[in-house]
Amino acid sequence: MTPGRYRGGGGGPSARESGAAAIWKGAASFAVLLCLLMCGVLRVLWCFSLGSGNFVTPVVGERFCEASVNGRSEWFPEPNVCSDKRVFVSLLLAAPEMENRNLSRMMSFGISDVALECVMGYIDDPRDRDAISQVCRRWYHIDSITRKHITIALCYSTTPERLRKRFPRLESIKLKGKPRAAMFNLIPEDWGGYAGPWVSEIAGAFNCLKNIHFRRMIVQDADIEVLVKARGHMLIGLKLDKCSGFSTDALRLVARSCRCLRTLFLEESSIIENDGEWLHELAVYNTVLEALNFYMTELRAVSWQDLVLLATNCKFLTSLKISECDLLDLVNFFNAATALEEFGGGSFNEQGGEVQKYQSVRFPPRLCRLGLSYMGTNEMPIIFPCAGNLKKLDLQFTLLSTEDHCQLIQQCPNLEVLEVRNVIGDRGLEIVAQRCKKLRRLRIERGEDEYEDEQGKVSQRGLSAVAQGCLELQYMAVYVSDITNAALECIGTFSKNLYDFRLVLLDREERITDLPLDNGVRALLRGCTKLQRFALYLRHGGLTDVGLRYIGEFSQNIRYMLLGYVGESDRGLLGFSRGCPDLQKLELRGCCFSERALAHAVMQLTALRYIWVQGYNASPDGTDLLAMARKFWNIEFIPPQQLYVEGTPVAEQPAHILAYYSLAGRRTDYPNTVVPIYPV
Amino acid sequence: MSKSAAVIDFFHIEKQNASAKPPPPPPASPPGRTAGAPFRGIQSLVSRINPQLLKTVMAASRPAGTRPPPHSSSPSSPTVVPLPVLNPAASRGSTAASQLPTETAPLTIFYNGTVAAFDVPRDQAEVIIKMVETGITSCPAPRKESSSSSSLADGGQLEGDLPIARRKSLQRFLEKRKGRLATASPYHEGTTPPQAC
């Protein structure tokens, strides 16, 4: 199943050049190329061919394309389908009479393999690496053995064996399982994403692996046991991020066996809690831990005394995020953890009663990233002493009013990351705009449907203020109650650094000031040229077909999109799909498109490798979806079903379609709730 | 919203239709929603219903215009006779399903070329049918709204209004906060309780 091989451009006139001249020409070009590659500018594919019948052709078995933004990478294997875009610069060097040794020297332009390895070691950008690996076999091989990190955006897109063959010396791996919609309770728990097969391969083969990150996957105790037995002595970082299927027994094993562990990350995982021993063992056996995170888990049996022990033993502990534990129990911990820079979680269980009970809480001096759960108005003053140092503030899980937000943010001029609910209101955002000039990331989540505070609504007023006040903004995700085209134009004008923008229009207000948003969206997309991730979730009438076409037309660099309730008809989708040259991952929700239009759009979007759709104009039997059936393309259908959230039934979920490129063939671990679609 | 109903073919109409056209591809109906067991009791009840009464039930209960019967070749127009409202609280609102302790499932009744579909929990379904059996015809028809009520008046624009999904973490926080407000002590007068935010 080789997706494709490239043959060299043919002998031609170059075959008659002398060998020496070819080498010099090659060396000079190589030097130039290397410089350009270092700058990450040139995407080059060189073809070589040798007259003696020795074909050295770029092997494009698996092309892993990675989008790397701010240190976060997204990888996806990409089979060589004909519709891929490539930039070809063909430089032909041929010397039929050369022997193999000279050939290899020529191939590398006089640079030895060792040197090449050193050079490539400096090149991290995955797109550059991708290009390098296609130059020739040798470069492919060197890239293979020098690749340190990979992110596989969907674990079913490839197999563990293929990964091992491609990159045997990986030091760090990030795997994602369930679709993103799982974070919103939309995907059945048993959908898949089992870590088992990957763990087996890791245990057997990846001898350099030090960092493992599983996200939205099912990881069992047995898997962790295998992992720890094989790699425990070398493991530096273990992240079980929004995972499920394991228990505190596995954590105990990790604590006991992984003495080099510097990062243990369990945020939002569903963990079966048998006891709190794992934390005790971690505190006893580990001295190098830097970051511990069991935030948003339901672990209750942990003892705050073990946290104190941990702080005492681990002098480098800089980040701790925990489940609910009253802050008064952490006073000793905060005194002991002198290196702490980040804290999240905790709880305030003694609110009401005597005032200022929490005054005894003193945060460590270096603390600059903070998020306190259930903090109320009365307890807020405990933050004031360190407010001036705060770079990151998470108020999503607090009980503060709009006024409280205003008061608090007023004191945080150094904020770079702010996460709040929409209770912050326009007023709070105006203060953010005034005070937080260094703000890079802003997330405004959705609070209660009945507004928590009468001022607790975010609208065009707050957005415009932030756009104009915080010019460093790179990430903005907002749930708004009202919006205008002018606000979006404002963002397009001022937020030139934006690479990730997400807007959700809440459905509480019946009347929205200014719909449709066609012009505003166009202005935003044209203005924010660095945009790579974009989400727009509106309502009926929020965006016409013309507006949807604008999105396609003006999203040059966007690789991920979530669109909800946009467009009016299939025509809009088809117009959209004529654009989006870089779109790799598309999520659609609540749209009116037919299966035929969806299939057509998928075929038209040249860079698309993953699509998820829920809420569409379904046909009675789904046959129209087969129009997008093709090689390497897996199509899954999750029929409508009653979903349960922690035991209680929620509204019945309509069907989903999930389709993605895969080199692994069809899944073999489908649950009953998932139906694969393929032509018979 | 696409109602993938578990259809109980009481009168074997489907089988006759199915033999006439090619079988659909696999994902035609959710395999996990076999409605065999819970509906056998209802099935036996339905089979004992006076056909005349059944006709009037269906005519009365079918909401106007939203679900044109797919099989109707000769739509009969019986006199509209209202049925008692069983559970007024549950018959309205978008969370009808979640208010009831039992799981809801579609109840589709085929009769004489006409069809009506309802989204009811099992006990309610049995009650409805029992009432029909005993022939109570004096009260307004129960309106069964599914959780995603949508008007398909715009020419089939949408399958149904999907509620904006909430992130799991926030969902859990908001529920816990409600729990905290519920258990907040009423005895501390002078302080600001957590709900004043």
Side-chain angles (χ1 to χ4, degrees), chain A residues 42-117:
Chain A
L42 198 62
R43 307 274 187 255
V44 173
L45 180 69
W46 292 22
C47 305
F48 296 85
S49 89
L50 301 165
S52 60
N54 255 355
F55 280 98
V56 177
T57 57
V59 175
V60 196
E62 275 170 26
R63 210 182 98 183
F64 283 83
C65 297
E66 179 164 339
S68 166
V69 179
N70 274 11
R72 281 206 274 126
S73 320
E74 296 273 342
W75 282 79
F76 213 96
E78 186 169 338
N80 252 336
V81 294
C82 305
S83 57
D84 277 352
K85 290 190 300 186
R86 299 213 190 289
V87 177
F88 279 88
V89 174
S90 49
L91 181 67
L92 303 175
L93 291 171
E97 62 277 12
M98 286 241 165
E99 41 172 328
N100 275 347
R101 193 178 63 84
N102 285 344
L103 281 178
S104 16
R105 187 155 34 93
M106 186 184 73
M107 299 320 296
S108 313
F109 300 103
I111 297 181
S112 70
D113 282 4
V114 174
L116 260 183
E117 284 180 37

Side-chain angles (χ1 to χ4, degrees), chain B residues 116-192:
Chain B
F118 313 97
D119 215 10
V120 290
R122 190 178 138 215
D123 51 357
Q124 268 208 339
E126 290 181 7
V127 172
I128 292 174
I129 290 163
K130 283 209 179 84
M131 291 176 88
V132 167
E133 240 186 297
T134 56
I136 297 170
T137 57
S138 55
C139 301
R143 251 176 303 277
K144 287 283 165 268
E145 300 243 334
S146 74
S147 50
S148 64
S149 62
S150 80
S151 72
L152 298 172
D154 311 15
Q157 240 205 6
L158 250 207
E159 282 302 306
D161 283 357
L162 293 173
I164 299 178
R166 220 190 228 112
R167 222 169 236 262
K168 243 193 250 189
S169 52
L170 272 152
Q171 179 78 23
R172 225 178 322 168
F173 164 74
L174 293 173
E175 277 163 10
K176 280 189 190 161
R177 188 174 73 163
K178 276 197 199 118
R180 284 168 77 104
L181 297 182
T183 59
S185 168
Y187 295 111
H188 304 287
E189 287 176 276
T191 59
T192 334

Side-chain angles (χ1 to χ4, degrees), chain A residues 277-494:
Chain A
E277 281 306 304
W278 65 275
L279 184 61
H280 181 78
E281 301 216 8
L282 192 65
V284 165
Y285 289 114
N286 195 308
T287 54
V288 293
L289 198 70
E290 293 171 10
L292 174 62
N293 182 326
F294 52 99
Y295 192 42
M296 299 279 120
T297 63
E298 298 297 324
L299 296 173
R300 292 272 179 276
V302 288
S303 147
W304 55 263
Q305 283 115 329
D306 288 329
L307 285 176
V308 176
L309 187 60
L310 189 73
T312 315
N313 287 344
C314 300
K315 296 292 178 210
F316 304 112
L317 190 71
T318 46
S319 168
L320 180 75
K321 294 178 82 168
I322 60 172
S323 55
E324 292 172 24
C325 163
D326 194 86
L327 231 61
L328 287 175
D329 292 338
L330 296 174
V331 169
N332 289 340
F333 166 77
F334 286 133
N335 289 337
T338 47
L340 202 72
E341 295 171 16
E342 173 168 38
F343 179 77
S347 182
F348 292 82
N349 298 328
E350 316 236 356
Q351 283 157 326
E354 307 132 44
V355 190
Q356 311 305 0
K357 195 177 258 199
Y358 289 92
Q359 254 187 343
S360 54
V361 175
R362 294 259 182 286
F363 292 114
R366 298 228 198 103
L367 196 76
C368 58
R369 302 191 294 276
L370 187 59
L372 297 174
S373 303
Y374 305 108
M375 181 174 66
T377 312
N378 276 354
E379 299 83 44
M380 201 174 63
I382 66 172
I383 299 190
F384 290 168
C386 61
N389 294 335
L390 287 181
K391 292 191 189 157
K392 176 174 173 183
L393 186 56
D394 181 358
L395 303 175
Q396 291 176 99
F397 308 106
T398 57
L399 307 175
L400 302 177
S401 66
T402 306
E403 176 59 41
D404 293 333
H405 281 79
C406 294
Q407 243 190 43
L408 182 51
I409 291 167
Q410 186 70 35
Q411 307 185 40
C412 305
N414 289 312
L415 269 188
E416 295 174 18
V417 178
L418 178 62
E419 294 169 317
V420 292
R421 293 192 313 279
N422 57 355
V423 70
I424 190 177
D426 285 331
R427 201 155 76 83
L429 288 181
E430 282 166 348
I431 303 210
V432 169
Q434 275 170 25
R435 292 292 280 159
C436 309
K437 295 300 182 187
K438 300 185 194 169
L439 200 68
R440 285 184 296 108
R441 291 176 68 93
L442 175 64
R443 179 169 191 88
I444 304 174
E445 264 292 350
R446 173 188 174 201
E448 283 286 8
D449 289 338
E450 289 74 43
Y451 295 118
E452 304 172 29
D453 188 308
E454 56 180 17
Q455 302 177 79
K457 301 180 204 182
V458 171
S459 74
Q460 57 271 15
R461 191 181 118 205
L463 282 196
S464 306
V466 167
Q468 293 175 63
C470 306
L471 299 171
E472 305 298 314
L473 217 51
Q474 296 171 353
Y475 171 102
M476 177 149 62
V478 280
Y479 282 80
V480 295
S481 309
D482 195 6
I483 190 70
T484 57
N485 281 288
L488 298 179
E489 284 159 19
C490 193
I491 296 174
T493 308
F494 292 99

Side-chain angles (χ1 to χ4, degrees), chain B residues 2-110:
Chain B
S2 85
K3 280 208 188 18
S4 170
V7 172
I8 305 126
D9 191 1
F10 296 127
F11 305 107
H12 306 290
I13 295 173
E14 289 280 10
K15 277 201 191 136
Q16 290 165 16
N17 288 346
S19 57
K21 63 177 196 181
S29 63
R33 287 171 50 98
T34 48
F39 286 90
R40 280 198 194 103
I42 299 172
Q43 211 168 351
S44 61
L45 286 174
V46 169
S47 61
R48 284 186 259 128
I49 293 174
N50 181 352
Q52 201 57 39
L53 269 169
L54 193 57
K55 249 179 160 174
T56 57
V57 167
M58 286 182 339
S61 307
R62 191 189 320 136
T66 51
R67 285 197 70 96
H71 296 278
S72 80
S73 47
S74 56
S76 45
S77 50
T79 51
V80 174
V81 181
L83 280 178
V85 177
L86 297 169
N87 193 351
S91 65
R92 292 189 156 280
S94 58
T95 54
S98 59
Q99 287 177 13
L100 301 160
T102 53
E103 187 181 349
T104 67
L107 170 66
T108 310
I109 301 178
F110 292 84

